Amino acid sequence: MSDTPDLPEGFEFSDDPARVDVDRVHGWLSADAYWAMGRPRDQHERAMAASLNFGVYATGSGDQVAYARVVTDRALFAWLADVYVDPSVRGKGVGTAFVGRIRDHLAPFGLRRLLLATEDAQGVYAKLGFRSLDRPEQWMIHTFG
């Protein structure tokens, strides 16, 4: 899509799940992400196995600097989850470009909607066409435990 910013020089996008540094990603999420604090490793691995996994990597070292996953039926619906950008590269445009690349990767599926939840990054997602729900009263949630 034309409104997707390029990743900054020195970074590359990948949808190859074999490249994901599972230890690093689990560490990020379980210790630093408000929505996943304390997430057990086995639960994290099950979530990854049932999702499309994406990363951003430093081109020189190959180190992973961002992660996200998408739960989708690849036809109508997708949920963007666990978006995390390493603090060392925040503020450089990596996160916005990363989410834009994920959105563009999903576009050929013909999805009706791509949803996400965030407490603090609405501005980042708004740059890429995300908006608040038109009719939140139509949506419901069931939580376990």
Side-chain angles (χ1 to χ4, degrees):
M1 300 182 108
S2 61
D3 64 340
T4 300
D6 291 330
L7 280 168
E9 188 173 334
F11 298 100
E12 63 182 350
F13 171 87
S14 177
D15 63 351
D16 180 358
R19 288 190 70 183
V20 174
D21 183 337
V22 179
D23 291 331
R24 177 174 282 188
V25 171
H26 178 255
W28 283 336
L29 296 176
S30 67
D32 191 42
Y34 66 83
W35 66 91
M37 294 294 284
R39 180 184 292 170
R41 173 71 182 248
D42 67 318
Q43 187 179 45
H44 171 71
E45 289 179 2
R46 287 194 321 268
M48 287 182 66
S51 302
L52 301 176
N53 294 271
F54 302 92
V56 173
Y57 302 86
T59 53
S61 65
D63 290 342
Q64 187 164 1
V65 299
Y67 172 78
R69 65 187 184 86
V70 172
V71 180
T72 183
D73 59 12
R74 295 183 173 146
L76 300 171
F77 175 84
W79 179 265
L80 177 60
D82 290 340
V83 179
Y84 188 92
V85 177
D86 188 270
S88 68
V89 299
R90 290 182 189 161
K92 298 180 179 182
V94 170
T96 303
F98 181 40
V99 172
R101 291 290 302 269
I102 293 167
R103 181 203 56 200
D104 295 352
H105 180 90
L106 298 172
F109 295 166
L111 303 171
R112 289 197 58 205
R113 55 183 56 96
L114 171 59
L115 294 175
L116 62 87
T118 184
E119 288 183 5
D120 58 358
Q122 289 84 353
V124 171
Y125 296 107
K127 293 177 191 175
L128 297 165
F130 288 84
R131 57 184 166 62
S132 297
L133 295 172
D134 291 332
R135 299 189 60 201
E137 70 277 4
Q138 291 181 332
W139 295 83
M140 299 182 73
I141 185 171
H142 175 84
T143 57
F144 294 89

